[in-house]
Amino acid sequence: MIMETEVMLHRREADGVTVYQASTAHQPAPDPEPQPAPSDRAIAILALAQRTADDHVAEAQARADRILTEAQTYADEVRTEADRLLSDARAEAERIVSNGSVYAEQLRLQAQQRYEDAVGGLSIKREALQRQVENLAVFDHDFRHRITLFLQSQLRALWAEHPQAMDVPGMGEQLSGGFADEIGPS
């Protein structure tokens, strides 16, 4: 029996990569069949090598396509998330600006109210002080008028009881420019 050596390729996948290993096996050669010519055998090996290369290229292309699809999916997810974050940031910025505008308007109104209260309070106080000054002026005028009348009545009573009081030396000098000049002798 004639033994023939045959090269066989074994396919094995490790970590997603297909690996082909060549092994040789000794098999008994079939007797009745004629031996292939060496050129036929080389063609068979070349065909096997071509098939192996095509398988590797196909696997690499499939893996590249899968990685590209995953990358595009990831990019789309990142773009969507970025758009969402940008939208959220814009909405938050608009909310902050709106709240700031409302707060600024409230502060402006409060300041205006305080100013009006202060000015109004000063105006009220000024009017009250003016009324007090007017009342004091009226009181002063009335008081002076009453005191003048009282002193005149007292002087009349004094002159009626003691007419000689006008003859007091130096009294005329003391009374000059005062109430005695206004009243005159009675």
Short mmCIF file of all heavy atoms in Angstrom, two decimals, residues 57-120:
data_model
loop_
_atom_site.label_atom_id
_atom_site.label_comp_id
_atom_site.label_asym_id
_atom_site.label_seq_id
_atom_site.Cartn_x
_atom_site.Cartn_y
_atom_site.Cartn_z
N VAL A 57 -10.26 38.01 3.60
CA VAL A 57 -10.66 39.34 3.12
C VAL A 57 -12.14 39.57 3.44
O VAL A 57 -12.54 40.65 3.89
CB VAL A 57 -10.38 39.48 1.61
CG1 VAL A 57 -11.05 40.72 1.04
CG2 VAL A 57 -8.89 39.51 1.35
N ALA A 58 -12.98 38.57 3.23
CA ALA A 58 -14.40 38.70 3.52
C ALA A 58 -14.64 38.94 5.01
O ALA A 58 -15.45 39.77 5.39
CB ALA A 58 -15.16 37.47 3.04
N GLU A 59 -13.91 38.17 5.83
CA GLU A 59 -14.05 38.36 7.29
C GLU A 59 -13.57 39.75 7.70
O GLU A 59 -14.21 40.42 8.51
CB GLU A 59 -13.24 37.30 8.04
CG GLU A 59 -13.92 35.97 8.13
CD GLU A 59 -13.09 34.98 8.95
OE1 GLU A 59 -12.45 35.42 9.93
OE2 GLU A 59 -13.10 33.80 8.59
N ALA A 60 -12.44 40.18 7.15
CA ALA A 60 -11.92 41.51 7.47
C ALA A 60 -12.90 42.59 7.02
O ALA A 60 -13.15 43.56 7.74
CB ALA A 60 -10.55 41.72 6.82
N GLN A 61 -13.47 42.42 5.84
CA GLN A 61 -14.45 43.39 5.34
C GLN A 61 -15.69 43.40 6.22
O GLN A 61 -16.22 44.47 6.56
CB GLN A 61 -14.82 43.06 3.88
CG GLN A 61 -15.75 44.09 3.25
CD GLN A 61 -15.08 45.46 3.15
OE1 GLN A 61 -13.93 45.56 2.79
NE2 GLN A 61 -15.83 46.50 3.50
N ALA A 62 -16.15 42.21 6.62
CA ALA A 62 -17.33 42.13 7.50
C ALA A 62 -17.04 42.79 8.84
O ALA A 62 -17.88 43.52 9.38
CB ALA A 62 -17.75 40.67 7.67
N ARG A 63 -15.84 42.51 9.36
CA ARG A 63 -15.47 43.12 10.65
C ARG A 63 -15.35 44.63 10.51
O ARG A 63 -15.80 45.39 11.37
CB ARG A 63 -14.17 42.52 11.15
CG ARG A 63 -13.82 42.95 12.54
CD ARG A 63 -12.70 42.13 13.09
NE ARG A 63 -12.47 42.52 14.47
CZ ARG A 63 -11.33 42.39 15.06
NH1 ARG A 63 -10.31 41.85 14.44
NH2 ARG A 63 -11.19 42.76 16.32
N ALA A 64 -14.75 45.09 9.42
CA ALA A 64 -14.64 46.53 9.18
C ALA A 64 -16.02 47.16 9.06
O ALA A 64 -16.27 48.25 9.61
CB ALA A 64 -13.81 46.79 7.92
N ASP A 65 -16.90 46.49 8.33
CA ASP A 65 -18.26 47.01 8.20
C ASP A 65 -18.96 47.08 9.55
O ASP A 65 -19.67 48.04 9.86
CB ASP A 65 -19.08 46.15 7.23
CG ASP A 65 -18.62 46.29 5.78
OD1 ASP A 65 -17.90 47.27 5.49
OD2 ASP A 65 -18.98 45.42 4.96
N ARG A 66 -18.78 46.04 10.38
CA ARG A 66 -19.39 46.00 11.71
C ARG A 66 -18.83 47.13 12.58
O ARG A 66 -19.57 47.84 13.26
CB ARG A 66 -19.15 44.63 12.35
CG ARG A 66 -19.88 44.44 13.66
CD ARG A 66 -19.75 43.02 14.20
NE ARG A 66 -18.37 42.72 14.56
CZ ARG A 66 -17.60 41.80 13.96
NH1 ARG A 66 -18.09 41.07 12.98
NH2 ARG A 66 -16.36 41.59 14.33
N ILE A 67 -17.51 47.32 12.54
CA ILE A 67 -16.88 48.39 13.34
C ILE A 67 -17.36 49.75 12.84
O ILE A 67 -17.67 50.64 13.64
CB ILE A 67 -15.35 48.27 13.26
CG1 ILE A 67 -14.88 47.05 14.04
CG2 ILE A 67 -14.68 49.53 13.79
CD1 ILE A 67 -13.41 46.72 13.86
N LEU A 68 -17.46 49.91 11.52
CA LEU A 68 -17.95 51.18 10.96
C LEU A 68 -19.39 51.45 11.39
O LEU A 68 -19.73 52.57 11.79
CB LEU A 68 -17.84 51.15 9.43
CG LEU A 68 -18.33 52.40 8.71
CD1 LEU A 68 -17.49 53.61 9.11
CD2 LEU A 68 -18.31 52.19 7.21
N THR A 69 -20.21 50.42 11.35
CA THR A 69 -21.60 50.58 11.78
C THR A 69 -21.68 50.94 13.25
O THR A 69 -22.44 51.85 13.64
CB THR A 69 -22.39 49.28 11.50
OG1 THR A 69 -22.32 48.98 10.11
CG2 THR A 69 -23.84 49.42 11.93
N GLU A 70 -20.88 50.26 14.07
CA GLU A 70 -20.86 50.58 15.51
C GLU A 70 -20.36 52.00 15.74
O GLU A 70 -20.93 52.73 16.57
CB GLU A 70 -19.97 49.58 16.25
CG GLU A 70 -20.56 48.18 16.35
CD GLU A 70 -19.57 47.17 16.95
OE1 GLU A 70 -18.44 47.57 17.30
OE2 GLU A 70 -19.96 46.00 17.06
N ALA A 71 -19.34 52.40 14.99
CA ALA A 71 -18.80 53.76 15.14
C ALA A 71 -19.84 54.80 14.73
O ALA A 71 -20.01 55.83 15.40
CB ALA A 71 -17.53 53.92 14.31
N GLN A 72 -20.56 54.53 13.63
CA GLN A 72 -21.59 55.47 13.20
C GLN A 72 -22.73 55.53 14.21
O GLN A 72 -23.24 56.61 14.51
CB GLN A 72 -22.12 55.07 11.83
CG GLN A 72 -21.15 55.36 10.71
CD GLN A 72 -21.62 54.84 9.36
OE1 GLN A 72 -22.45 53.93 9.29
NE2 GLN A 72 -21.08 55.41 8.29
N THR A 73 -23.09 54.39 14.76
CA THR A 73 -24.14 54.36 15.78
C THR A 73 -23.70 55.15 17.01
O THR A 73 -24.46 55.96 17.55
CB THR A 73 -24.47 52.91 16.17
OG1 THR A 73 -24.90 52.21 15.01
CG2 THR A 73 -25.55 52.86 17.23
N TYR A 74 -22.45 54.92 17.43
CA TYR A 74 -21.91 55.63 18.60
C TYR A 74 -21.84 57.13 18.32
O TYR A 74 -22.21 57.95 19.17
CB TYR A 74 -20.53 55.09 18.96
CG TYR A 74 -19.93 55.76 20.16
CD1 TYR A 74 -20.43 55.51 21.43
CD2 TYR A 74 -18.87 56.65 20.03
CE1 TYR A 74 -19.88 56.13 22.54
CE2 TYR A 74 -18.32 57.27 21.13
CZ TYR A 74 -18.83 57.02 22.38
OH TYR A 74 -18.29 57.62 23.49
N ALA A 75 -21.39 57.50 17.11
CA ALA A 75 -21.32 58.92 16.75
C ALA A 75 -22.71 59.54 16.76
O ALA A 75 -22.89 60.67 17.23
CB ALA A 75 -20.67 59.08 15.38
N ASP A 76 -23.69 58.81 16.24
CA ASP A 76 -25.07 59.33 16.26
C ASP A 76 -25.57 59.50 17.68
O ASP A 76 -26.23 60.49 18.00
CB ASP A 76 -26.00 58.39 15.48
CG ASP A 76 -25.74 58.43 13.98
OD1 ASP A 76 -25.11 59.39 13.51
OD2 ASP A 76 -26.18 57.48 13.29
N GLU A 77 -25.25 58.54 18.55
CA GLU A 77 -25.67 58.65 19.95
C GLU A 77 -24.99 59.84 20.62
O GLU A 77 -25.64 60.60 21.36
CB GLU A 77 -25.33 57.36 20.70
CG GLU A 77 -26.18 56.16 20.33
CD GLU A 77 -25.70 54.86 20.95
OE1 GLU A 77 -24.68 54.87 21.68
OE2 GLU A 77 -26.34 53.83 20.70
N VAL A 78 -23.69 60.01 20.37
CA VAL A 78 -22.96 61.14 20.95
C VAL A 78 -23.52 62.45 20.42
O VAL A 78 -23.72 63.40 21.18
CB VAL A 78 -21.44 61.01 20.65
CG1 VAL A 78 -20.71 62.29 20.98
CG2 VAL A 78 -20.85 59.84 21.42
N ARG A 79 -23.80 62.51 19.11
CA ARG A 79 -24.36 63.73 18.52
C ARG A 79 -25.73 64.03 19.12
O ARG A 79 -26.04 65.17 19.46
CB ARG A 79 -24.47 63.57 17.00
CG ARG A 79 -24.86 64.84 16.28
CD ARG A 79 -24.88 64.69 14.76
NE ARG A 79 -23.59 64.28 14.25
CZ ARG A 79 -23.35 63.10 13.67
NH1 ARG A 79 -24.30 62.22 13.52
NH2 ARG A 79 -22.14 62.81 13.22
N THR A 80 -26.55 63.01 19.28
CA THR A 80 -27.87 63.19 19.88
C THR A 80 -27.74 63.68 21.32
O THR A 80 -28.46 64.61 21.74
CB THR A 80 -28.66 61.86 19.84
OG1 THR A 80 -28.79 61.45 18.48
CG2 THR A 80 -30.03 62.02 20.46
N GLU A 81 -26.84 63.08 22.07
CA GLU A 81 -26.63 63.50 23.47
C GLU A 81 -26.10 64.93 23.52
O GLU A 81 -26.53 65.73 24.36
CB GLU A 81 -25.65 62.54 24.17
CG GLU A 81 -25.37 62.87 25.61
CD GLU A 81 -26.57 62.72 26.53
OE1 GLU A 81 -27.56 62.07 26.14
OE2 GLU A 81 -26.52 63.24 27.66
N ALA A 82 -25.17 65.26 22.61
CA ALA A 82 -24.63 66.63 22.57
C ALA A 82 -25.74 67.62 22.23
O ALA A 82 -25.81 68.70 22.83
CB ALA A 82 -23.49 66.71 21.56
N ASP A 83 -26.59 67.27 21.28
CA ASP A 83 -27.70 68.15 20.93
C ASP A 83 -28.65 68.33 22.10
O ASP A 83 -29.14 69.43 22.36
CB ASP A 83 -28.48 67.60 19.72
CG ASP A 83 -27.69 67.70 18.42
OD1 ASP A 83 -26.71 68.48 18.37
OD2 ASP A 83 -28.05 67.00 17.46
N ARG A 84 -28.91 67.24 22.82
CA ARG A 84 -29.79 67.32 23.99
C ARG A 84 -29.16 68.20 25.06
O ARG A 84 -29.83 69.06 25.65
CB ARG A 84 -30.06 65.92 24.55
CG ARG A 84 -31.09 65.93 25.69
CD ARG A 84 -31.20 64.57 26.36
NE ARG A 84 -29.98 64.15 27.00
CZ ARG A 84 -29.54 64.60 28.18
NH1 ARG A 84 -30.22 65.50 28.83
NH2 ARG A 84 -28.42 64.15 28.70
N LEU A 85 -27.85 68.00 25.32
CA LEU A 85 -27.16 68.82 26.33
C LEU A 85 -27.15 70.29 25.92
O LEU A 85 -27.35 71.17 26.77
CB LEU A 85 -25.74 68.31 26.54
CG LEU A 85 -25.60 66.97 27.25
CD1 LEU A 85 -24.15 66.51 27.27
CD2 LEU A 85 -26.14 67.05 28.68
N LEU A 86 -26.91 70.55 24.65
CA LEU A 86 -26.92 71.93 24.16
C LEU A 86 -28.31 72.53 24.32
O LEU A 86 -28.45 73.68 24.78
CB LEU A 86 -26.48 71.97 22.70
CG LEU A 86 -26.45 73.35 22.05
CD1 LEU A 86 -25.46 74.24 22.76
CD2 LEU A 86 -26.11 73.22 20.57
N SER A 87 -29.32 71.78 23.99
CA SER A 87 -30.70 72.27 24.14
C SER A 87 -31.01 72.54 25.61
O SER A 87 -31.60 73.58 25.95
CB SER A 87 -31.67 71.24 23.57
OG SER A 87 -32.99 71.63 23.79
N ASP A 88 -30.60 71.61 26.48
CA ASP A 88 -30.81 71.81 27.92
C ASP A 88 -30.07 73.04 28.42
O ASP A 88 -30.59 73.82 29.22
CB ASP A 88 -30.38 70.57 28.70
CG ASP A 88 -31.28 69.37 28.48
OD1 ASP A 88 -32.36 69.54 27.87
OD2 ASP A 88 -30.91 68.26 28.91
N ALA A 89 -28.82 73.20 27.96
CA ALA A 89 -28.02 74.35 28.39
C ALA A 89 -28.65 75.65 27.92
O ALA A 89 -28.70 76.64 28.68
CB ALA A 89 -26.59 74.23 27.86
N ARG A 90 -29.15 75.67 26.70
CA ARG A 90 -29.81 76.89 26.19
C ARG A 90 -31.07 77.19 26.99
O ARG A 90 -31.34 78.34 27.34
CB ARG A 90 -30.15 76.73 24.72
CG ARG A 90 -28.95 76.89 23.83
CD ARG A 90 -29.32 76.84 22.37
NE ARG A 90 -28.13 77.04 21.55
CZ ARG A 90 -27.97 76.54 20.35
NH1 ARG A 90 -28.93 75.83 19.80
NH2 ARG A 90 -26.86 76.78 19.67
N ALA A 91 -31.84 76.14 27.27
CA ALA A 91 -33.07 76.34 28.05
C ALA A 91 -32.73 76.85 29.45
O ALA A 91 -33.39 77.77 29.96
CB ALA A 91 -33.86 75.04 28.13
N GLU A 92 -31.68 76.29 30.06
CA GLU A 92 -31.27 76.74 31.40
C GLU A 92 -30.78 78.19 31.35
O GLU A 92 -31.09 78.99 32.23
CB GLU A 92 -30.16 75.82 31.94
CG GLU A 92 -29.66 76.17 33.30
CD GLU A 92 -30.68 75.95 34.41
OE1 GLU A 92 -31.70 75.26 34.19
OE2 GLU A 92 -30.46 76.47 35.53
N ALA A 93 -30.02 78.52 30.30
CA ALA A 93 -29.54 79.89 30.16
C ALA A 93 -30.71 80.86 30.00
O ALA A 93 -30.73 81.93 30.61
CB ALA A 93 -28.59 80.00 28.97
N GLU A 94 -31.68 80.48 29.20
CA GLU A 94 -32.86 81.33 29.01
C GLU A 94 -33.63 81.48 30.32
O GLU A 94 -34.11 82.56 30.64
CB GLU A 94 -33.77 80.76 27.92
CG GLU A 94 -33.20 80.90 26.53
CD GLU A 94 -34.05 80.20 25.47
OE1 GLU A 94 -35.14 79.69 25.80
OE2 GLU A 94 -33.61 80.17 24.31
N ARG A 95 -33.73 80.39 31.08
CA ARG A 95 -34.42 80.45 32.36
C ARG A 95 -33.67 81.38 33.32
O ARG A 95 -34.27 82.21 34.01
CB ARG A 95 -34.54 79.05 32.97
CG ARG A 95 -35.37 79.01 34.25
CD ARG A 95 -35.34 77.64 34.90
NE ARG A 95 -34.03 77.24 35.32
CZ ARG A 95 -33.41 77.68 36.43
NH1 ARG A 95 -33.99 78.57 37.20
NH2 ARG A 95 -32.22 77.26 36.75
N ILE A 96 -32.34 81.27 33.34
CA ILE A 96 -31.53 82.11 34.23
C ILE A 96 -31.67 83.58 33.83
O ILE A 96 -31.85 84.45 34.69
CB ILE A 96 -30.06 81.65 34.21
CG1 ILE A 96 -29.93 80.31 34.95
CG2 ILE A 96 -29.15 82.69 34.84
CD1 ILE A 96 -28.57 79.65 34.80
N VAL A 97 -31.60 83.85 32.53
CA VAL A 97 -31.75 85.24 32.06
C VAL A 97 -33.14 85.76 32.40
O VAL A 97 -33.29 86.90 32.87
CB VAL A 97 -31.47 85.32 30.54
CG1 VAL A 97 -31.91 86.65 29.96
CG2 VAL A 97 -29.99 85.08 30.26
N SER A 98 -34.14 84.93 32.21
CA SER A 98 -35.51 85.35 32.52
C SER A 98 -35.66 85.64 34.01
O SER A 98 -36.22 86.66 34.40
CB SER A 98 -36.49 84.26 32.09
OG SER A 98 -37.80 84.60 32.48
N ASN A 99 -35.14 84.72 34.84
CA ASN A 99 -35.21 84.94 36.29
C ASN A 99 -34.42 86.18 36.69
O ASN A 99 -34.85 86.94 37.56
CB ASN A 99 -34.69 83.72 37.05
CG ASN A 99 -35.62 82.54 36.98
OD1 ASN A 99 -36.78 82.67 36.61
ND2 ASN A 99 -35.14 81.36 37.32
N GLY A 100 -33.27 86.39 36.06
CA GLY A 100 -32.47 87.57 36.34
C GLY A 100 -33.21 88.84 35.97
O GLY A 100 -33.17 89.84 36.69
N SER A 101 -33.89 88.81 34.84
CA SER A 101 -34.66 89.98 34.40
C SER A 101 -35.80 90.26 35.37
O SER A 101 -36.04 91.41 35.74
CB SER A 101 -35.21 89.75 33.00
OG SER A 101 -34.18 89.61 32.07
N VAL A 102 -36.48 89.22 35.79
CA VAL A 102 -37.58 89.38 36.74
C VAL A 102 -37.03 89.93 38.07
O VAL A 102 -37.61 90.86 38.65
CB VAL A 102 -38.31 88.03 36.96
CG1 VAL A 102 -39.25 88.10 38.14
CG2 VAL A 102 -39.07 87.64 35.71
N TYR A 103 -35.90 89.37 38.53
CA TYR A 103 -35.31 89.83 39.79
C TYR A 103 -34.86 91.29 39.67
O TYR A 103 -35.08 92.08 40.60
CB TYR A 103 -34.13 88.92 40.16
CG TYR A 103 -33.51 89.25 41.49
CD1 TYR A 103 -34.21 89.04 42.67
CD2 TYR A 103 -32.23 89.76 41.55
CE1 TYR A 103 -33.65 89.34 43.89
CE2 TYR A 103 -31.66 90.06 42.77
CZ TYR A 103 -32.36 89.86 43.93
OH TYR A 103 -31.78 90.16 45.14
N ALA A 104 -34.25 91.63 38.53
CA ALA A 104 -33.81 93.02 38.33
C ALA A 104 -35.01 93.97 38.33
O ALA A 104 -34.94 95.06 38.91
CB ALA A 104 -33.03 93.13 37.02
N GLU A 105 -36.09 93.56 37.70
CA GLU A 105 -37.29 94.40 37.68
C GLU A 105 -37.87 94.55 39.09
O GLU A 105 -38.30 95.63 39.48
CB GLU A 105 -38.34 93.80 36.73
CG GLU A 105 -39.60 94.61 36.60
CD GLU A 105 -39.38 96.00 36.04
OE1 GLU A 105 -38.35 96.25 35.38
OE2 GLU A 105 -40.25 96.86 36.27
N GLN A 106 -37.85 93.46 39.86
CA GLN A 106 -38.33 93.54 41.24
C GLN A 106 -37.46 94.50 42.05
O GLN A 106 -37.98 95.31 42.83
CB GLN A 106 -38.32 92.16 41.89
CG GLN A 106 -39.41 91.24 41.40
CD GLN A 106 -39.27 89.83 41.97
OE1 GLN A 106 -38.25 89.47 42.54
NE2 GLN A 106 -40.31 89.03 41.81
N LEU A 107 -36.14 94.41 41.88
CA LEU A 107 -35.24 95.32 42.60
C LEU A 107 -35.49 96.77 42.18
O LEU A 107 -35.47 97.67 43.02
CB LEU A 107 -33.78 94.93 42.34
CG LEU A 107 -33.28 93.67 43.01
CD1 LEU A 107 -31.84 93.40 42.60
CD2 LEU A 107 -33.39 93.76 44.53
N ARG A 108 -35.69 96.98 40.88
CA ARG A 108 -35.96 98.34 40.41
C ARG A 108 -37.24 98.88 41.03
O ARG A 108 -37.30 100.03 41.50
CB ARG A 108 -36.05 98.35 38.88
CG ARG A 108 -36.14 99.76 38.29
CD ARG A 108 -36.47 99.74 36.82
NE ARG A 108 -37.80 99.25 36.54
CZ ARG A 108 -38.93 99.94 36.72
NH1 ARG A 108 -38.88 101.14 37.23
NH2 ARG A 108 -40.10 99.41 36.43
N LEU A 109 -38.28 98.05 41.06
CA LEU A 109 -39.55 98.48 41.65
C LEU A 109 -39.41 98.75 43.14
O LEU A 109 -39.97 99.71 43.66
CB LEU A 109 -40.64 97.43 41.39
CG LEU A 109 -41.11 97.30 39.94
CD1 LEU A 109 -42.07 96.12 39.81
CD2 LEU A 109 -41.76 98.58 39.47
N GLN A 110 -38.64 97.89 43.84
CA GLN A 110 -38.41 98.10 45.27
C GLN A 110 -37.65 99.40 45.50
O GLN A 110 -37.99 100.17 46.42
CB GLN A 110 -37.64 96.93 45.87
CG GLN A 110 -38.45 95.67 46.04
CD GLN A 110 -37.60 94.52 46.56
OE1 GLN A 110 -36.38 94.62 46.70
NE2 GLN A 110 -38.25 93.40 46.83
N ALA A 111 -36.63 99.64 44.69
CA ALA A 111 -35.85 100.87 44.83
C ALA A 111 -36.73 102.09 44.56
O ALA A 111 -36.65 103.10 45.28
CB ALA A 111 -34.65 100.85 43.88
N GLN A 112 -37.54 102.00 43.52
CA GLN A 112 -38.44 103.11 43.21
C GLN A 112 -39.44 103.32 44.35
O GLN A 112 -39.71 104.46 44.74
CB GLN A 112 -39.18 102.82 41.90
CG GLN A 112 -40.08 103.95 41.46
CD GLN A 112 -40.73 103.65 40.11
OE1 GLN A 112 -40.47 102.63 39.50
NE2 GLN A 112 -41.58 104.54 39.67
N GLN A 113 -39.97 102.23 44.91
CA GLN A 113 -40.91 102.35 46.02
C GLN A 113 -40.24 102.98 47.24
O GLN A 113 -40.81 103.85 47.89
CB GLN A 113 -41.48 100.97 46.38
CG GLN A 113 -42.53 101.00 47.46
CD GLN A 113 -43.77 101.77 47.03
OE1 GLN A 113 -44.20 101.68 45.90
NE2 GLN A 113 -44.34 102.54 47.94
N ARG A 114 -39.00 102.55 47.51
CA ARG A 114 -38.27 103.14 48.65
C ARG A 114 -38.02 104.62 48.43
O ARG A 114 -38.14 105.43 49.35
CB ARG A 114 -36.95 102.40 48.87
CG ARG A 114 -37.12 101.05 49.47
CD ARG A 114 -35.80 100.36 49.69
NE ARG A 114 -35.99 99.01 50.18
CZ ARG A 114 -35.06 98.09 50.19
NH1 ARG A 114 -33.85 98.36 49.74
NH2 ARG A 114 -35.31 96.88 50.66
N TYR A 115 -37.66 104.97 47.20
CA TYR A 115 -37.42 106.38 46.89
C TYR A 115 -38.70 107.19 47.08
O TYR A 115 -38.69 108.25 47.71
CB TYR A 115 -36.91 106.50 45.45
CG TYR A 115 -36.83 107.93 44.96
CD1 TYR A 115 -35.78 108.74 45.34
CD2 TYR A 115 -37.83 108.47 44.14
CE1 TYR A 115 -35.71 110.05 44.90
CE2 TYR A 115 -37.76 109.76 43.70
CZ TYR A 115 -36.70 110.56 44.08
OH TYR A 115 -36.64 111.86 43.66
N GLU A 116 -39.80 106.66 46.53
CA GLU A 116 -41.08 107.37 46.67
C GLU A 116 -41.50 107.47 48.12
O GLU A 116 -42.02 108.50 48.55
CB GLU A 116 -42.15 106.68 45.83
CG GLU A 116 -41.95 106.85 44.33
CD GLU A 116 -42.90 106.02 43.49
OE1 GLU A 116 -43.75 105.30 44.08
OE2 GLU A 116 -42.79 106.09 42.26
N ASP A 117 -41.26 106.38 48.90
CA ASP A 117 -41.59 106.43 50.32
C ASP A 117 -40.74 107.47 51.03
O ASP A 117 -41.26 108.23 51.86
CB ASP A 117 -41.37 105.05 50.96
CG ASP A 117 -42.40 104.02 50.52
OD1 ASP A 117 -43.42 104.41 49.90
OD2 ASP A 117 -42.17 102.82 50.78
N ALA A 118 -39.44 107.50 50.70
CA ALA A 118 -38.55 108.46 51.35
C ALA A 118 -38.94 109.88 50.98
O ALA A 118 -39.05 110.75 51.85
CB ALA A 118 -37.09 108.17 50.96
N VAL A 119 -39.14 110.12 49.70
CA VAL A 119 -39.52 111.47 49.25
C VAL A 119 -40.90 111.83 49.80
O VAL A 119 -41.11 112.94 50.27
CB VAL A 119 -39.48 111.56 47.70
CG1 VAL A 119 -40.11 112.83 47.20
CG2 VAL A 119 -38.05 111.44 47.21
N GLY A 120 -41.81 110.88 49.74
CA GLY A 120 -43.16 111.13 50.27
C GLY A 120 -43.11 111.38 51.77
O GLY A 120 -43.78 112.28 52.29
#
